[in-house]
Amino acid sequence: MDLAFTPEEQKFADDVRTFVRANLPADVRDKVKNGKHLGRDDYMRWQQALGKKGWLVYTWPKKHGGPGFTPAERYIFENICAEEYAPGIIPFGTKMVGPVIYTFGSEEQKAKYLPAIRESTVWWCQGYSEPGSGSDLASLRTKADKEGDHYIVNGSKTWNTMGHWADWIFCLVRTDSKSKPQEGISFLLIDMKTPGITVKPIIMADGGHEVNEVFFDNVSVPAANLVGKENEGWTCAKFLLANERLGIAAVPQSKRGVEALKDIARIEQDNGRPLIENQSFAEKIADLEIQVTALEYTELRVLSAMAHGGQPGPEVSGLKIRGSEIQQRITELTMEAVGEYSAPYLPGLLWQGTNEAPVGPEYAHLAAPRYFNTRKTTIYGGSNEIQKGIISKMVLGL
Amino acid sequence: MDLALKPEHKAFADEIRAFARANLSPATREKTLSGKHYDRDDHMVWQQALGKKGWLTYTWPKKFGGPGWDVTRRFLFENVLAEEGAPRILPFGPKMVGPVIYTFGNDEQKARFLPGIRESTVSWCQGYSEPGAGSDLANLRTKAERDGDHYVVNGQKTWTSYAHWGDWIFCLVRTNTEAKPQEGISFLLIDMKTPGVTVRPIIMLDGAHAVNDVFLDNVKVPVANLVGKENDGWTCAKFLLANERLGIAEVPSSKRGVSMLRSISDDPSMAEKIADVDLQVQALEMSELRALSAMALGGAPGPEVSTLKVRGSEIQQRIAELAMEAVGEYAAPYQPGMLFHDSNETPVGPDHAPPAAPRYFNMRKTSIYGGSTEIQKNIVSKMVLGL
Amino acid sequence: MDLSLSDEQKQLQEQAERFVRDKYAFDARRKIAATDRGWLPENWAQFAELGWLGMSLSEEDGGYGGGPIETMIVMEQFGKGLVLEPFLPTVVLGGGMIARAGTAAQKEALLAPMIEGKKQFALAWLERQSRYNLADVSLKATKEGAGWSLSGQKGVVYNAASADQIIVLARTAGSARESKGLTLFIVDGKAKGLSRRDYPTQDSLRASELTFDKVSVGADAVLGKVDEGFGVVEDGVDRAIVALCAEATGCMDAINAATLEYIKTRKQFGVPIGKFQVLQHRMVDCFTNAQEARSMTLMASLKIDDKDPVVRAKAASGAKVQIGKSGKFCGQSAVQMHGGMGVTDELSVSHYFKRLTMIDLMFGNQQHHLTRYSNLAMAA
Ligand SMILES: Cc1cc2nc3c(=O)[nH]c(=O)nc-3n(C[C@H](O)[C@H](O)[C@H](O)COP(=O)(O)OP(=O)(O)OC[C@H]3O[C@@H](n4cnc5c(N)ncnc54)[C@H](O)[C@@H]3O)c2cc1C
Ligand SMILES: Cc1cc2nc3c(=O)[nH]c(=O)nc-3n(C[C@H](O)[C@H](O)[C@H](O)COP(=O)(O)OP(=O)(O)OC[C@H]3O[C@@H](n4cnc5c(N)ncnc54)[C@H](O)[C@@H]3O)c2cc1C
Ligand SMILES: Cc1cc2nc3c(=O)[nH]c(=O)nc-3n(C[C@H](O)[C@H](O)[C@H](O)COP(=O)(O)OP(=O)(O)OC[C@H]3O[C@@H](n4cnc5c(N)ncnc54)[C@H](O)[C@@H]3O)c2cc1C
């Protein structure tokens, strides 16, 4: 056991830093640094740069075109990207459907879909949830009926993150309504340009548009787009969910968040002194930092176990729970630091990138919307209640 | 709406204070203020003084020999006594079995048992819980079989507080094993001196002896000791539990706890923690006053008093926790002599150090007994929220 | 001691309930929030007609002789409906401070029209650096002939755009953060040299940044005594806090009711999600939190007229701590128990959540008031 990096690892870290500094577009970096919202193009430019270098799919094994990073390299890569204010990598292609395709897909599917995911030329979104099927995902009802060499898909998906930017969607659909709920589900890849697909925005509490409803009205999908066997989609679904939860802990982002919070607390005044010198506030930051450290070391332990040949087990649910709570706490304390200057709501500046001046410092108007928005982290990716249910059943045997 | 006291209430508070100062033994008072354990006499002598004055059963209506006080007077009584360092009134007679007897008992039972409770000449304990029946009280199995004009009782009660001081025990017993669990239970009063009753101490995590196992081995109990109808005991049981939960919030002693905390610590970040618990106590007190005031307008204590019990127990635990935090590493030395006996050894560290950790350990009980916090939340969820 | 409402108070409660029911359905509120002003003149006229604008003022001041309990009753209903009309800045803060500190002439000029619904007010105390310290004021007022000239900035001034008069806390003497040397001025909303940047707030109210560039006022603009404005503003804010606590109590009742209803009807795994014990217990905790908030609000409303300023300050701070704590708990829990629906703009929960969040930040958050309470309690 050793916490120190080897000389090779240190060299790798330098390479990553040099690469990020040379390739991350300055305007994107500024947006991330200032907590602004990114557009589709902002993500794409950065991801394509990573793709060229072969690092976008940094979690993939070599044989599918990944760089085959060791856990230490993964850790270094994620942390340096975060430190350098790179945007988070959108997971739908790289961390979700990609691994499903290389694990369960046919050779043709691998050849057809993986390159575009590696290079980020195609934007994917996730079509799991439905209005009646949130936590109870297996109750989903979007139907796919086989007709010749096509499936005809009818139904609706909801909470599609960035579905309005997506080229393709991967869906769980019901192909057999007679058997047990989990046994009649299939995993289908659908081109968003197919006739019969309509995307309708859902506006979030902070006024932003990031999720959508997606309606399917007699959408014809080639049978070749089925991943795995018909009616065995639940296996892919659960495989993917476990992968999803690993990234969701977002430790490097949280570390960055704590630093940003400290910067704000150095600027904000409290009785003529920087807020960071207020003992109760400083203690709250310290408490948060300790939580982040505990989470980081837990994640390192899990990664190290996986490096010795394990799949992510149900205990990663614990990472998701703590990770999401920490993300929320950072936004809560940031809002506390900003105080009453959180109140002004400037939707133009926030959403349309207008050049109106902020009220107070730039970071102030972002604080409350972020706090409101981040309530989502304990809900999506399997709510924290569901994660605890999983741990209780799978780990504790209750 | 008005929080101010009327002049007659102020005079009343003075009267209680004068009474407490004249009648509470200084040794007992000292135990309260320093967090030591009482012995049986501490309770009995004080309760008998209250009994003589007619105040022990201060929640009872006039017609059963209570003082028939309004909400304000009860509130003042509890607060002034707590401030004066009086031990809390043991609830088993005055707050539990007494009201059951005057509500469900027959006239003979009232005549026979109520005076001993009012005057505290008889000490009672509560025989509800059993090894297999804790939260799931209706699962109890202690059996009472009718044999002529007697019941023959067999089984085991556990967690019986102060059974080792008790003259009488009120028990829930099973009189019908065929019916639904709740429908075969009866409420029986048993003299602890009856042959076949054995008491075995259970030592708590802080070293204290307050609870016991009570074994009942062919104990003969006259049928006249049955309160209410046979197999209707669940009604009495629930009535009693609702009453029990009201007193259990322990606001006056928590208020005393807050002043105690302020007297032992002046660290600013501790001060904020104390301020926080102080405010929790105030919120609880106002909630209790609101409930009492609603009751005064003619309601019975409803299931929402469960929330008072939940918060009250959390607050008691928090006070004990903060007291230990204030003491720091000097909470470590274990000095049982200073807790349980009138020993004159000198404390290691400050005077308030020896009871700090034991109290913290002991107070964990408050969220377990009288219906655990989880059970209380189930009750509110079902009865108040309709979930 | 008596904790029951009088018959008149019960009537007032029903009246306010009815107003919210009739005028503040969720969609109606959305429309009001989208108007230019952010509130409806016809509603304000109705407040005047119902007597709410003068109910807590004494009869000598032209009011109807009520007090903090009446304010509490109305504010609580406003919280249930997330009412947008500027009752707090105009009536509780402005009207209250003028009634307590104003001269006969000021009262006559301002209170009577306020009661009739013809004048609105705003209080400008906050500056960029002040956080929650009411004395951290650098906007300066200097003597100018018989009157004064005001220069400097104020921030997040609620209702400034609609206010006919803005009560401004200015430094007339002393150094930064000294409580001595502060003076309150009643400044015309359209005064020369006063400019505004208006914006909506997270919870759909309206506020402004104000710049004072040599704004001239007469000697008669001083509210209270020169250099002794701090006590007036502190007392005014404490009273506003108590009213705000009542509003928060109403918000909590409403958000809890909405959540309870939701978990009884939303089904997953074939059952209403309210059948899951984790949600049941969380719902119970919400209920308990709201009860405590109600208790502390009641306590503070009963004590805020106490003669002893320390009693008043402790009551206000104590209640604000509870509101901050309970509001956060109920708000966050409601969102969580609604799942994805909770983070959308579509249901009322997120709107209650946002209001509760902003209430915590207003006039000092939970932490600030805990420290203040703690200091007062230690000093006692
Ligand atoms: C911002 C955002 C982005 C999202 N992005 C996507 C996406 O891209 N693709 C996609 O497919 N989905 C997405 N989701 C959907 C997300 O996965 C669901 O919201 C989530 O699974 C919860 O489902 P629900 O919203 O229907 O809540 P419900 O399932 O209705 O849950 C409501 C509440 O009940 C609790 N609950 C439910 N069942 C139980 C139980 N058995 N025990 C205890 N508590 C329980 C929940 O924890 C929650 O608190 C997104 C959601 C959000 C908010
Ligand atoms: C975004 C999101 C992320 C989530 N993450 C996870 C997650 O990672 N893991 C997880 O368990 N839940 C996750 N959930 C919750 C998931 O939707 C279910 O709620 C959960 O799996 C429990 O489902 P279940 O009750 O159907 O039980 P399960 O335990 O899944 O299955 C119940 C029954 O179905 C059978 N079954 C299970 N799998 C199959 C299969 N492949 N083929 C045939 N039969 C099968 C089982 O043998 C069992 O009898 C997530 C939900 C969302 C919306
Ligand atoms: C100091 C002390 C004094 C006592 N004095 C007396 C006395 O004088 N007379 C008397 O009759 N009894 C007395 N009791 C007993 C007391 O009432 C029981 O301890 C209590 O009812 C809990 O029962 P249990 O200890 O068997 O715990 P269990 O019922 O076994 O509970 C264990 C845990 O499971 C939880 N749990 C149980 N059921 C549920 C559920 N449905 N949902 C969620 N959680 C659940 C509980 O909350 C608890 O956390 C005393 C107890 C103590 C500790």
Side-chain angles (χ1 to χ4, degrees):
Chain A
M1 279 202 196
D2 196 351
L3 274 181
F5 291 126
T6 63
E8 300 81 60
E9 286 162 352
Q10 274 161 9
K11 157 110 193 6
F12 175 75
D14 292 340
D15 291 348
V16 174
R17 201 176 298 279
T18 311
F19 174 84
V20 180
R21 292 198 177 159
N23 291 279
L24 176 61
D27 60 321
V28 176
R29 180 191 148 91
D30 281 354
K31 282 192 185 172
V32 173
K33 183 154 193 213
N34 296 321
K36 291 193 178 170
H37 290 271
L38 304 183
R40 184 184 199 268
D41 179 56
D42 295 324
Y43 287 108
M44 283 307 225
R45 280 185 288 154
W46 168 237
Q47 293 195 168
Q48 286 167 3
L50 280 174
K52 269 211 195 90
K53 179 82 183 169
W55 283 352
L56 179 60
V57 292
Y58 68 98
T59 57
W60 295 16
K62 272 213 164 107
K63 73 169 166 187
H64 300 301
F69 284 167
T70 63
E73 286 167 339
R74 249 167 105 152
Y75 171 84
I76 291 167
F77 176 77
E78 289 175 351
N79 276 275
I80 290 181
C81 286
E83 282 165 23
E84 294 293 327
Y85 302 103
I89 293 172
I90 301 295
F92 306 111
T94 54
K95 294 199 177 161
M96 297 186 180
V97 75
V100 167
I101 292 172
Y102 68 64
T103 308
F104 301 100
S106 64
E107 291 309 320
E108 278 142 68
Q109 287 171 336
K110 290 183 205 168
K112 178 166 178 201
Y113 298 107
L114 297 185
I117 296 175
R118 284 197 299 260
E119 291 153 22
S120 194
T121 50
V122 166
W123 188 295
W124 284 89
C125 70
Q126 177 186 29
Y128 272 32
S129 306
E130 299 181 6
S133 307
S135 300
D136 183 10
L137 188 55
S139 68
L140 61 92
R141 277 193 255 166
T142 294
K143 241 187 359 191
D145 297 314
K146 191 86 172 262
E147 257 181 40
D149 56 358
H150 277 74
Y151 287 101
I152 306 299
V153 179
N154 277 293
S156 69
K157 293 287 172 183
T158 190
W159 308 121
N160 273 263
T161 302
M162 302 172 185
H164 51 305
W165 291 345
D167 303 305
W168 281 74
I169 182 170
F170 57 91
C171 284
L172 293 180
V173 292
R174 185 153 304 286
T175 37
D176 176 355
S177 45
K178 304 224 172 64
S179 56
K180 276 182 39 182
Q182 289 82 358
E183 287 167 8
I185 294 173
S186 299
F187 195 99
L188 212 53
L189 311 178
I190 306 180
D191 185 336
M192 292 290 280
K193 288 181 297 293
T194 322
I197 297 183
T198 325
V199 177
K200 194 179 138 242
I202 300 175
I203 301 303
M204 299 275 280
D206 60 359
H209 170 205
E210 63 180 89
V211 289
N212 304 273
E213 287 181 90
V214 180
F215 299 93
F216 297 86
D217 182 18
N218 285 319
V219 176
S220 173
V221 181
N225 293 9
L226 174 75
V227 180
K229 295 214 193 83
E230 194 176 86
N231 297 333
E232 281 186 11
W234 193 242
T235 314
C236 306
K238 296 232 282 193
F239 166 85
L240 183 154
L241 291 172
N243 270 306
E244 178 183 358
R245 275 198 300 274
L246 196 59
I248 234 166
V251 175
Q253 284 76 7
S254 288
K255 281 159 76 180
R256 191 171 71 197
V258 173
E259 291 312 313
L261 168 61
K262 285 189 197 159
D263 286 342
I264 291 174
R266 283 186 195 102
I267 298 168
E268 288 293 317
Q269 296 292 295
D270 177 53
N271 284 313
R273 312 278 320 152
L275 176 63
I276 202 159
E277 292 175 20
N278 173 312
Q279 192 188 341
S280 340
F281 199 77
E283 284 178 7
K284 288 181 189 172
I285 298 181
D287 185 56
L288 180 60
E289 220 172 301
I290 292 165
Q291 290 180 42
V292 174
T293 308
L295 182 65
E296 177 169 32
Y297 278 84
T298 311
E299 198 171 49
L300 283 173
R301 289 198 296 111
V302 171
L303 285 176
S304 147
M306 280 168 62
H308 294 100
Q311 272 293 307
E315 48 308 340
V316 291
S317 287
L319 299 178
K320 195 268 167 170
I321 294 170
R322 300 298 294 142
S324 57
E325 288 168 354
I326 287 170
Q327 287 170 281
Q328 294 182 336
R329 183 70 181 147
I330 292 172
T331 63
E332 194 172 325
L333 287 184
T334 304
M335 186 176 65
E336 187 171 332
V338 172
E340 291 223 44
Y341 269 88
S342 304
Y345 179 57
L346 310 173
L349 190 58
L350 197 58
W351 302 116
Q352 283 105 46
T354 58
N355 52 8
E356 67 182 303
V359 175
E362 177 86 47
Y363 54 74
H365 79 107
L366 295 162
R370 265 191 185 278
Y371 168 70
F372 299 140
N373 185 279
T374 306
R375 302 314 303 168
K376 72 188 175 191
T377 59
T378 49
I379 295 167
Y380 67 24
S383 73
N384 283 13
E385 288 77 12
I386 293 296
Q387 304 298 350
K388 289 183 187 175
I390 293 172
I391 297 181
S392 145
K393 192 169 144 191
M394 309 297 287
V395 180
L396 307 178
L398 288 172
Chain B
M1 283 203 181
D2 197 356
L3 275 182
L5 291 181
K6 299 200 186 90
E8 72 259 30
H9 285 139
K10 284 195 184 128
F12 175 76
D14 292 341
E15 187 189 350
I16 294 167
R17 199 175 304 279
F19 175 84
R21 295 201 173 157
N23 291 279
L24 179 61
S25 112
T28 304
R29 177 187 152 88
E30 160 55 25
K31 286 186 189 172
T32 309
L33 298 181
S34 62
K36 289 187 189 155
H37 287 266
Y38 306 109
D39 55 32
R40 187 180 195 270
D41 269 358
D42 288 311
H43 286 287
M44 291 310 256
V45 171
W46 167 238
Q47 293 193 171
Q48 284 164 5
L50 283 174
K52 263 208 200 94
K53 183 84 183 166
W55 286 350
L56 179 61
T57 52
Y58 67 100
T59 56
W60 294 16
K62 272 214 164 105
K63 74 170 162 180
F64 300 117
W69 284 343
D70 60 13
V71 171
T72 308
R73 283 187 166 78
R74 284 192 206 179
F75 172 81
L76 289 172
F77 178 74
E78 291 168 0
N79 277 276
V80 173
L81 291 191
E83 284 164 23
E84 291 299 320
R88 94 184 161 116
I89 294 173
L90 290 180
F92 308 105
K95 293 200 178 160
M96 295 184 177
V97 74
V100 168
I101 292 172
Y102 68 62
T103 309
F104 301 100
N106 57 34
D107 286 335
E108 271 149 70
Q109 289 169 334
K110 290 180 203 167
R112 183 169 165 214
F113 295 108
L114 296 186
I117 296 174
R118 281 197 302 262
E119 292 153 22
S120 197
T121 48
V122 173
S123 157
W124 284 86
C125 61
Q126 177 186 28
Y128 273 30
S129 305
E130 298 181 7
S135 298
D136 184 9
L137 186 57
N139 190 38
L140 63 92
R141 280 195 245 160
T142 295
K143 243 186 357 195
E145 284 163 315
R146 186 76 178 255
D147 182 9
D149 55 358
H150 278 75
Y151 287 103
V152 179
V153 182
N154 277 292
Q156 182 195 342
K157 293 290 170 184
T158 190
W159 306 123
T160 321
S161 300
Y162 307 115
H164 52 305
W165 296 346
D167 302 310
W168 282 74
I169 182 170
F170 56 93
C171 284
L172 292 180
V173 293
R174 186 156 302 287
T175 37
N176 181 351
T177 45
E178 248 88 285
K180 274 185 35 187
Q182 288 81 355
E183 286 168 9
I185 293 172
S186 300
F187 195 100
L188 212 54
L189 311 177
I190 306 179
D191 187 336
M192 296 286 279
K193 289 180 297 296
T194 322
V197 177
T198 324
V199 176
R200 191 187 70 93
I202 301 175
I203 301 303
M204 300 270 280
L205 75 179
D206 59 347
H209 172 207
V211 289
N212 306 272
D213 284 319
V214 177
F215 298 92
L216 302 153
D217 181 20
N218 284 319
V219 178
K220 270 183 79 174
V221 182
V223 170
N225 292 7
L226 174 76
V227 180
K229 294 212 195 84
E230 193 176 271
N231 297 330
D232 259 355
W234 195 243
T235 316
C236 306
K238 296 223 290 193
F239 166 85
L240 183 156
L241 289 174
N243 270 308
E244 179 183 358
R245 278 198 287 278
L246 198 59
I248 230 165
E250 293 285 353
V251 173
S253 77
S254 290
K255 282 159 81 176
R256 194 173 60 209
V258 169
S259 341
M260 174 275 294
L261 286 175
R262 287 217 170 88
S263 72
I264 62 173
S265 165
D266 52 11
D267 170 80
S269 81
M270 263 311 271
E272 284 190 4
K273 291 179 186 174
I274 298 168
D276 192 57
V277 75
D278 174 358
L279 290 169
Q280 291 179 37
V281 174
Q282 291 184 36
L284 183 65
E285 177 169 54
M286 275 311 285
S287 297
E288 199 169 53
L289 285 174
R290 289 201 295 117
L292 288 174
S293 140
M295 279 165 63
L297 298 171
E304 61 283 0
V305 294
S306 284
T307 66
L308 302 179
K309 194 269 172 177
V310 170
R311 275 297 196 251
S313 57
E314 287 168 355
I315 287 171
Q316 292 174 69
Q317 294 178 338
R318 182 70 182 146
I319 290 171
E321 194 175 339
L322 287 178
M324 184 175 68
E325 190 175 325
V327 171
E329 292 225 46
Y330 274 97
Y334 180 56
Q335 298 178 273
M338 307 209 53
L339 299 175
F340 306 119
H341 322 293
D342 295 317
S343 101
N344 49 8
E345 61 181 302
T346 45
V348 179
D351 281 352
H352 55 263
R359 237 188 132 67
Y360 167 71
F361 300 139
N362 186 284
M363 282 294 133
R364 302 315 302 169
K365 73 188 177 192
T366 59
S367 54
I368 298 168
Y369 66 29
S372 72
T373 292
E374 290 77 15
I375 294 299
Q376 304 299 347
K377 289 185 183 178
N378 288 348
I379 293 172
V380 178
S381 163
K382 191 167 147 199
M383 309 297 285
V384 181
L385 304 178
L387 286 172
Chain C
M1 196 163 54
D2 172 16
L3 299 183
S4 52
L5 294 179
S6 68
D7 288 343
E8 296 80 47
Q9 289 168 337
K10 282 187 195 141
Q11 274 166 18
L12 177 65
Q13 191 175 40
E14 282 161 24
Q15 219 175 38
E17 263 168 16
R18 199 172 323 123
F19 168 79
V20 168
R21 206 176 326 115
D22 294 349
K23 299 293 175 67
Y24 265 88
F26 184 54
D27 287 328
R29 174 182 186 270
R30 223 190 250 285
K31 291 204 184 94
I32 300 173
T35 59
D36 277 350
R37 274 194 194 84
W39 55 272
L40 283 192
E42 67 189 68
N43 286 348
W44 197 254
Q46 192 180 350
F47 290 5
E49 212 170 283
L50 291 167
W52 294 352
L53 301 178
M55 73 190 172
S56 296
L57 294 179
S58 70
E59 277 153 27
E60 302 99 82
D61 290 337
Y64 310 114
I69 296 296
E70 280 70 22
T71 305
M72 176 188 85
I73 290 168
V74 170
M75 286 299 287
E76 185 183 327
Q77 298 307 320
F78 285 177
K80 284 192 183 157
L82 293 172
V83 167
L84 296 161
E85 277 68 28
F87 187 85
L88 187 76
T90 299
V91 177
V92 182
L93 272 169
M97 285 165 63
I98 293 166
R100 280 185 303 278
T103 61
Q106 285 168 336
K107 290 188 191 180
E108 197 180 314
L110 300 172
L111 291 184
M114 179 197 83
I115 294 169
E116 289 169 29
K118 304 219 170 81
K119 266 192 191 303
Q120 291 201 350
F121 308 126
L123 171 69
W125 69 272
L126 183 83
E127 297 178 11
R128 180 60 197 109
Q129 79 290 347
S130 351
R131 188 158 299 272
Y132 301 125
N133 184 349
L134 290 168
D136 195 340
V137 171
S138 59
L139 182 140
K140 271 214 162 54
T142 44
K143 268 272 184 206
E144 186 188 63
W148 298 82
S149 168
L150 276 60
S151 284
Q153 277 160 2
K154 290 285 169 187
V156 200
V157 181
Y158 285 90
N159 201 41
S162 295
D164 299 279
Q165 266 77 31
I166 300 175
I167 300 176
V168 182
L169 185 63
R171 184 156 295 288
T172 37
S175 56
R177 295 183 296 284
E178 216 178 304
S179 53
K180 190 98 179 111
L182 295 174
T183 306
L184 287 163
F185 294 92
I186 304 174
V187 179
D188 196 281
K190 299 196 181 59
K192 196 160 154 278
L194 169 58
S195 54
R196 287 195 327 259
R197 174 176 177 192
D198 302 334
Y199 46 78
T201 58
Q202 306 291 343
D203 46 353
S204 305
L205 295 175
R206 298 303 154 98
S208 309
E209 298 298 286
L210 303 183
T211 303
F212 293 77
D213 182 15
K214 304 202 193 74
V215 174
S216 299
V217 294
D220 58 354
V222 172
L223 176 62
K225 296 203 184 92
V226 172
D227 290 348
E228 285 175 24
F230 182 78
V232 177
V233 80
E234 188 182 42
D235 179 56
V237 165
D238 277 341
R239 289 164 189 273
I241 283 173
V242 176
L244 201 55
C245 289
E247 183 186 344
T249 306
C251 281
M252 278 181 242
D253 277 356
I255 201 171
N256 284 348
T259 306
L260 181 60
E261 178 62 25
Y262 191 80
I263 68 173
K264 280 182 179 172
T265 45
R266 166 74 174 167
K267 282 191 175 169
Q268 289 288 276
F269 304 100
V271 294
I273 55 177
K275 288 288 169 211
F276 300 121
Q277 198 180 45
V278 257
L279 299 196
Q280 291 178 344
H281 285 194
R282 191 151 181 182
M283 197 68 237
V284 172
D285 292 339
C286 288
F287 171 81
T288 307
N289 265 280
Q291 287 297 314
E292 290 174 305
R294 175 174 299 281
S295 293
M296 290 302 272
T297 301
L298 178 60
M299 181 276 293
S301 301
L302 289 167
K303 286 188 175 175
I304 199 65
D305 265 345
D306 199 278
K307 283 183 293 297
D308 181 351
V310 175
V311 169
R312 297 201 300 264
K314 280 174 73 178
S317 280
K320 193 70 171 33
V321 169
Q322 182 70 55
I323 289 301
K325 197 189 291 180
S326 293
K328 184 182 286 180
F329 186 84
C330 293
Q332 294 183 347
S333 299
V335 170
Q336 183 67 21
M337 290 192 269
H338 274 78
M341 289 312 295
V343 291
T344 68
D345 178 63
E346 289 171 21
L347 299 187
S348 64
V349 261
S350 65
H351 297 260
Y352 286 111
F353 172 50
K354 290 197 272 187
R355 179 69 189 136
L356 284 168
T357 305
M358 291 299 126
I359 286 177
D360 180 38
L361 295 180
M362 219 173 185
F363 302 126
N365 66 355
Q366 183 189 338
Q367 176 67 58
H368 169 82
H369 283 286
L370 183 62
T371 308
R372 182 177 185 236
Y373 179 91
S374 178
N375 293 339
L376 290 166
M378 290 294 275

